[in-house]
Structures are given as structure tokens and as C-alpha cells.
Amino acid sequence: MIAPGLLVPRVRGEEVRRDLADSGLLRSDLEIRHEGEFLVLPLVESSDGVPPSWGEVVEREFRESKRKGPARYRDLLPWSDEEKEALPRSFDIVGDIVLIRLPAPLEARKEAVGDALLRFVPGARLVGLDRGVHGPERRREVERIAGSGPWRTRHKENGVELEVDIERAYFSPRLAREHARVAEDVRAGDRVYDLCCGVGPFSVTIAHLGRAAGVTAVDANPEAIELLRETLARCPYGGRVAPIAARVEEFLPDAPTVERVVLNLPHEGIKYLPSVARTVAPRGRLYYYEVVSRTELAGRGVALVNSLAPVGGFAVVAERVVHPYSPASDLVAFVVERSR
Ligand SMILES: C[S@@+](CC[C@H](N)C(=O)[O-])C[C@H]1O[C@@H](n2cnc3c(N)ncnc32)[C@H](O)[C@@H]1O
């Protein structure tokens, strides 16, 4: 049958396949197509929610997969087509927990949606209604709508297994490719700061790859740092990460320069940017994340570099949209290199 698909280089196929599956955008009743050096991953009927950086949306003839069951969780609900259309296409999977956001009019039927997701997602234990992250520690507000057990889970991405507690510390499976990209950019012997590290996915992925001389991971939420410590305690490479429960403004004044710095605090990071930039060694790189309105994206990299002129010579060497954030804005990654 003809359906939309995502054309991706074979070498990136597995990571994008996981991103699509984690976002509920991978269609499971059709087989993945192999086209030379490319794969075409079948998408649910709309390409909404697929960031352009993941690949090119195309149309292809797909073979039906042998796997039984519906292609979409919505098809498990005895609702009219119109009612199903109002449901979100995507959801997140964190370990054995499924998280979904629902438009307000559908909240009254949240248990039915939760039950459908629990049956649809293989290995799901608990389904939460996601009311977004709040407060300075970006804790997620969730309500159980199906399943049972704690919000604590273990999440696998990029070959590492992270301790996560959905309610107590920030974590998003949508950043998995960023965690891998930054880790792959670390060179042998680099020292790294992971500022606003949360439960430490950048730090753990960098340590797992094994090139960094050491990673210092800093977060103001002591519960995030405790989860990171628990992850590190069961990893053979755990000793390469030093977790610190502190605010960046306490940590930065005495921090020596290092070759790689991550700052992932998308709404407020800008206020720390100059003092964070001072900790980047010459020829070192800063990985900075910001929510940027689409109308301002074209000039944002230049504005960031200009704001850092008093600190040193910086240039944006890469810029990419990580995922859509709102109808008018995206989460954007800026890779900023220091020349002197
Ligand atoms: C968007 S989360 C990023 C988590 C992590 N880097 C990741 O990729 O999953 C932002 C984190 O910054 C922390 N935070 C907020 N303000 C902070 C500050 N002033 N100093 C240190 N950490 C802070 C929060 O506790 C939260 O864990």
C-alpha cells in the first residue's frame, strides 16, 4: 500500500526508528523499506511532529508487516473517526511508562485513552497524562490514567540505561539524538561540563563512549543528582562522571576552563551564557539549547555570538532544530566554538 515514510541514511536508521517509535509516529503494520544506503520508515498517516532534521518525508509502496494488531493506538478505541482524529498522534515512552498530552475536551475520556495506550505499547506498565514541566527544576506534572506502579523507571537510549523518575526530575526521550550527537563530538582527553544535567543523559552517554578525560555534571535539583549517582553506580565507566548538586551560578565562579560545555536550560540559560562561555577553553565548544521563535531563528546565531564578544572570539559552527516546541517555536541546538 502507498503511505508516507521517512527517508533516512541507513547509518542513522536505528536511532531515527527509535525516535519515531518513542514519539508514536512509526507505523507498525508496514515493513521498513531498504533502498541502497537509505531506509524508508513508515509513518502514521501524518508527518506532523517529525522534525525536518530527522529525514525527508516521502511517499512509498510498503509491504504489510506480519505483526498482528492495529497500526495506531486510536484504533483500539470504539470511537467515531471524527473523535479519533481529535486525539494526538504522538506520545512519549520513558522506560515502561507512556506519557501523553490531551486537549482539554478529551480529558474526560482520559482513562479510555490510557487503557488503549497500555494495550498498544509493548511492555508498557503505566500511562500518565502529561501536564508539562514546571518550576525552576522543570519537574513534570503527571496524572496516572492507566496501569500501576511508581513513576520511577529505567530508560534505555544510545546504549545506556538511565534511572528516571518522571515526577521528581526532568527527563525527555526526545533529546536522545542530541545526547548522542554531543557525545560523538567529544575528542580524546576532553574535559566536559554538563550544566543543568538533570538525570545526566549527556554525561552518561559521554562517559559510555569513553573518550572524555572526565565529566562534571551539575544540577540544582538534588533528586536529579541522586538518580544520576544511582545510574553511575551500576556502570563500569561511572567513575568518569563527578555529579554535583549545585546551582550553576555557585559552580561557575571557580570553574577552570574545559574543552566541552553543555548548557541545556532552554528558557533561562541565556542569563548564564556569558559566565558559562568563560569556562570554554580555546578551540573548545559550547552546546547551547534555546527555544527560538521561528521568525527569529535566522538571526539568532549571530545575536548569540555578538552577546559573547566581550568574553572572547566565538562562532556558531552548527545549528539544528531538535524538535518543535510550540506551533510557532522550536527547541534549537547551537554549537558555539571559541577561537581564542
Ligand atoms: C531542561 S532540564 C535539562 C536536563 C538534561 N540536561 C537533559 O538533557 O535531560 C534543565 C535542568 O536544569 C536544572 N536547573 C535549573 N536551573 C538551574 C540552575 N540555576 N543551576 C543548575 N541547574 C539548574 C533543572 O533542575 C533541570 O534538571
Side-chain angles (χ1 to χ4, degrees):
M1 72 178 301
I2 305 274
L6 196 67
L7 183 71
V8 294
R10 188 187 285 274
V11 288
R12 287 183 46 219
E14 179 51 22
E15 62 179 287
V16 178
R17 189 198 65 75
R18 258 185 281 131
D19 285 341
L20 289 173
D22 285 353
S23 312
L25 294 169
L26 183 70
R27 195 164 163 171
S28 57
D29 62 331
L30 299 180
E31 282 183 5
I32 292 170
R33 278 180 64 102
H34 295 250
E35 298 184 358
E37 286 309 299
F38 289 85
L39 297 179
V40 189
L41 306 169
L43 293 171
V44 294
E45 79 267 37
S46 157
S47 59
D48 295 358
V50 181
S53 59
W54 289 15
E56 185 191 344
V57 177
V58 293
E59 285 219 327
R60 289 288 191 277
E61 175 81 37
F62 289 95
R63 275 208 305 256
E64 291 198 12
S65 118
K66 316 244 168 347
R67 181 180 183 254
K68 292 275 174 285
R72 310 171 313 170
Y73 76 94
R74 296 183 276 172
D75 294 332
L76 291 169
L77 290 161
W79 295 8
S80 70
D81 286 348
E82 201 181 323
E83 288 171 320
K84 288 185 199 173
E85 271 309 302
L87 279 165
R89 294 182 169 84
S90 67
F91 49 83
D92 287 322
I93 301 173
V94 182
D96 55 2
I97 299 174
V98 182
L99 297 174
I100 187 154
R101 289 172 172 249
L102 285 180
L106 285 174
E107 284 212 12
R109 305 169 90 182
K110 61 193 174 200
E111 281 87 3
V113 177
D115 184 58
L117 283 165
L118 198 60
R119 288 191 284 140
F120 181 76
V121 177
R125 166 179 59 83
L126 177 61
V127 183
L129 184 61
D130 182 356
R131 299 191 197 275
V133 293
H134 304 282
E137 294 173 346
R138 315 307 288 154
R139 291 176 197 246
R140 199 169 293 281
E141 193 186 324
V142 272
E143 179 190 339
R144 189 189 72 81
I145 54 173
S148 60
W151 293 109
R152 176 75 187 256
T153 189
R154 276 188 187 176
H155 181 77
K156 285 189 193 153
E157 61 171 43
N158 302 315
V160 303
E161 203 172 1
L162 303 159
E163 299 293 333
V164 176
D165 189 313
I166 304 288
E167 277 187 314
R168 290 174 188 273
Y170 178 90
F171 180 74
S172 168
R174 298 185 183 200
L175 296 175
R177 289 196 327 117
E178 274 311 302
H179 302 143
R181 272 186 156 134
V182 171
E184 278 155 17
D185 205 33
V186 171
R187 303 158 306 180
D190 279 351
R191 295 156 300 168
V192 183
Y193 291 153
D194 178 8
L195 304 177
C196 302
C197 65
V199 301
F202 283 108
S203 297
V204 178
T205 313
I206 291 167
H208 172 65
L209 272 194
R211 294 192 209 122
V215 184
T216 304
V218 181
D219 199 283
N221 179 357
E223 295 190 272
I225 293 296
E226 188 46 42
L227 288 158
L228 170 55
R229 287 206 173 99
E230 290 184 33
T231 299
L232 296 171
R234 54 172 170 69
C235 298
Y237 47 83
R240 294 188 204 138
V241 181
I244 300 179
R247 298 182 62 76
V248 285
E249 49 275 53
E250 295 158 358
F251 170 78
L252 289 171
D254 299 322
T257 59
V258 295
E259 291 74 30
R260 294 288 187 261
V261 180
V262 182
L263 176 59
N264 180 16
L265 184 60
H267 294 281
E268 285 176 76
I270 190 69
K271 67 185 181 201
Y272 303 119
L273 196 60
S275 40
V276 169
R278 282 192 188 89
T279 69
V280 180
R283 288 178 299 287
R285 285 186 173 183
L286 167 64
Y287 306 89
Y288 170 69
Y289 294 85
E290 192 174 270
V291 172
V292 185
S293 129
R294 279 184 207 124
T295 54
E296 287 165 20
L297 182 57
R300 189 60 191 148
V302 173
L304 288 174
V305 164
N306 289 344
S307 75
L308 294 178
V311 181
F314 286 90
V316 173
V317 293
E319 181 184 307
R320 54 187 172 256
V321 171
V322 179
H323 59 64
Y325 184 81
S326 73
S329 66
D330 293 314
L331 177 67
V332 182
F334 296 93
V335 183
V336 188
E337 192 167 285
R338 184 170 197 170
S339 58
R340 58 185 155 80

